[in-house]
Amino acid sequence: MSESNKKPKNELFEERVSQAKIVRRVVLVTVLVLLIAGAIVAISGFNYIKSALEPMNEENPEKIEVTIPIGSGPSTIGTILEEEGLVQNATVFRYYVRYKNESGFQAGTYELSTGMTMDDLIAELKEGTVMVDYALSFTIPEGRWLVDTVEIIANNTDHSTDEILEVVENEEYLNSLIDRYDMLTDEILQEDIKQPLEGYLFPARYDFTDENPEIETIIEEMLNRTQAIYDNYIEEVNTSEYTFHELLALASIIEREAQQSEDRYKISGVLYNRLETNMRLQVDPTVAYAIGEHLYITTLADLEYDSPYNTYRYEGIPIGPIANPGQDSIIASMRPDDIEAFYFFARVNGQVLYTNTFQEHTEVANKYRQEWYDFQNGQNDEESEDDSE
């Protein structure tokens, strides 16, 4: 470049200073715009949440009768309150309950008001249930198969087992449930699943004011209980390496193997030890479920039964739950004990013996296996006496 085309140094300096000022102005304006936008969003969010916590209509309050089903968690309760016009937003209600660490909500029929704050509503819903004379009550024990649960329902209602099974196996109905329940996914519709809702029908006492409620009403009341547990432990479910469906499968094994609470967490630890080392779970209740018979003792031939539920033949967690677990077992599936054992043997009397090596396990099994033969023979004798009657 020739000398005539070069700018004087003072002009170059002034030009750079001018450009720097422009850049600073642009940066300053951008920062101010972002700060103002952030402040607007923050203020708007604060005002929205503040209004969501306040009464829906304090000046002209309206009394509204609301029924909270048994087993309802914050998510379900929030949805009911929003639908009834008692809170502005169900999600805000759910997060506010979590923020306040509130729990102990009671089922029942309440007379609430649009003049109540969210704190008022929470306090009222924790007071207790309104006593009702129930027309129908029955109890589902923990650890039962879905087919056993269906039989209990049939024995207490006018619905037959075939009618109930037709509902719980109906794909259209199942898809509608998947759309409505966060805990349910397409995993329940896998090709080799024996019963899609196995593990999801929570074992508990159920009370109904209707003498013969619809099958769907009964099923969804049971699903609500499991959904409530899912909601309460959603953070642990999300941080687990397994899906809720897989955790329920583990919980169902734990439920079938353990009688005492402390053993549920220890057995969970053993199952995790096996999973982490790619060892097959090899638990007998999965074989019994695969075959479809309540077996107390499994033979070598039983262990060869070809089914994705059979943990002697297939690695990993079974394709689905093998029973309906209780809350303690579900929690245990997410909180395994830190235990060194890789083997356990459950005795007839409920005692569980833990060992680290296969040789130790074999010695324990040889010592106590006869108890199960005696127990099975005793059960067979009782069934024969019942048949003879």
Side-chain angles (χ1 to χ4, degrees):
M1 183 181 289
S2 64
E3 289 294 328
S4 59
N5 291 332
K6 288 184 179 179
K7 293 182 179 180
K9 288 184 178 181
N10 61 334
E11 288 186 19
L12 286 172
F13 177 75
E14 290 176 0
E15 185 177 318
R16 289 171 182 170
V17 170
S18 176
Q19 289 175 346
K21 288 180 179 179
I22 294 172
V23 170
R24 281 197 297 272
R25 288 196 190 100
V26 170
V27 172
L28 180 61
V29 170
T30 302
V31 170
L32 286 173
V33 169
L34 291 174
L35 288 174
I36 292 170
I40 292 172
V41 171
I43 292 170
S44 299
F46 174 79
N47 288 333
Y48 178 79
I49 294 174
K50 184 174 180 292
S51 66
L53 300 178
E54 294 175 349
M56 293 291 285
N57 190 345
E58 193 171 16
E59 294 182 1
N60 298 297
E62 176 188 354
K63 291 184 177 180
I64 300 175
E65 187 176 282
V66 175
T67 298
I68 304 299
I70 295 173
S72 298
S75 179
T76 303
I77 294 173
T79 300
I80 293 172
L81 295 179
E82 181 181 345
E83 291 174 350
E84 295 293 342
L86 289 161
V87 299
Q88 193 174 69
N89 187 289
T91 302
V92 172
F93 176 85
R94 178 161 59 89
Y95 280 107
Y96 187 67
V97 167
R98 183 179 298 177
Y99 166 73
K100 298 273 287 185
N101 198 27
E102 297 284 3
S103 60
F105 294 105
Q106 302 296 313
T109 301
Y110 297 86
E111 190 175 76
L112 304 175
S113 167
T114 55
M116 301 172 73
T117 66
M118 196 170 287
D119 284 322
D120 294 334
L121 292 169
I122 291 171
E124 187 71 18
L125 294 171
K126 291 175 66 177
E127 283 297 316
T129 181
V130 177
M131 298 307 295
V132 178
D133 291 328
Y134 295 111
L136 169 66
S137 297
F138 60 82
T139 299
I140 305 298
E142 297 174 342
R144 295 296 179 89
W145 292 353
L146 183 139
V147 291
D148 300 324
T149 299
V150 166
E151 188 174 343
I152 293 172
I153 296 172
N155 290 339
N156 286 276
T157 66
D158 292 338
H159 307 298
S160 69
T161 55
D162 288 341
E163 289 171 338
I164 301 170
L165 285 172
E166 185 177 348
V167 171
V168 299
E169 294 174 353
N170 182 279
E171 189 169 346
E172 184 178 348
Y173 178 58
L174 291 169
N175 277 308
S176 74
L177 293 176
I178 291 173
D179 290 337
R180 291 160 50 198
Y181 289 91
D182 296 338
M183 64 177 177
L184 294 176
T185 67
D186 289 339
E187 290 171 287
I188 68 171
L189 299 178
Q190 296 175 81
E191 184 178 353
D192 293 323
I193 288 284
K194 292 182 70 172
Q195 288 294 341
L197 295 181
E198 188 77 76
Y200 292 90
L201 303 184
F202 192 75
R205 175 189 167 97
Y206 290 91
D207 302 297
F208 299 90
T209 54
D210 188 347
E211 188 174 348
N212 194 50
E214 295 292 328
I215 296 172
E216 291 83 355
T217 300
I218 297 173
I219 297 303
E220 288 162 33
E221 192 68 41
M222 303 175 82
L223 291 173
N224 288 341
R225 298 280 190 99
T226 308
Q227 179 69 45
I229 295 175
Y230 175 86
D231 289 339
N232 289 337
Y233 294 92
I234 184 62
E235 292 181 2
E236 289 187 62
V237 172
N238 289 339
T239 56
S240 171
E241 59 187 302
Y242 303 115
T243 66
F244 186 64
H245 184 75
E246 291 173 320
L247 290 170
L248 273 187
L250 286 174
S252 67
I253 293 173
I254 294 166
E255 189 67 62
R256 295 290 295 180
E257 291 281 20
Q259 295 184 33
Q260 305 299 323
S261 178
E262 64 181 63
D263 285 316
R264 292 189 174 99
Y265 295 85
K266 290 180 180 179
I267 289 175
S268 179
V270 172
L271 298 179
Y272 270 80
N273 286 345
R274 293 183 180 184
L275 290 169
E276 289 168 3
T277 56
N278 295 320
M279 177 181 172
R280 293 178 185 177
L281 294 183
Q282 296 182 323
V283 281
D284 290 358
T286 63
V287 179
Y289 186 81
I291 295 174
E293 297 180 16
H294 289 292
L295 305 173
Y296 298 106
I297 301 171
T298 52
T299 65
L300 291 176
D302 294 332
L303 301 184
E304 292 299 319
Y305 190 84
D306 191 7
S307 166
Y309 286 97
N310 185 351
T311 55
Y312 279 87
R313 289 202 59 165
Y314 293 91
E315 292 182 1
I317 299 172
I319 191 173
I322 60 165
N324 293 314
Q327 178 169 311
D328 199 23
S329 292
I330 295 174
I331 297 173
S333 73
M334 297 180 280
R335 301 177 184 176
D337 271 0
D338 185 7
I339 187 172
E340 294 183 0
F342 276 81
Y343 301 89
F344 65 90
F345 185 90
R347 297 182 59 192
V348 172
N349 64 4
Q351 181 187 19
V352 181
L353 304 171
Y354 302 90
T355 48
N356 295 346
T357 67
F358 182 69
Q359 181 179 347
E360 292 171 334
H361 173 69
T362 301
E363 291 173 358
V364 170
N366 289 338
K367 182 177 181 179
Y368 294 107
R369 185 181 290 114
Q370 186 61 42
E371 293 180 346
W372 284 107
Y373 284 105
D374 295 339
F375 179 77
Q376 179 169 272
N377 291 335
Q379 293 294 109
N380 292 338
D381 290 343
E382 289 181 13
E383 290 175 5
S384 298
E385 290 177 8
D386 291 340
D387 293 340
S388 64
E389 294 175 359

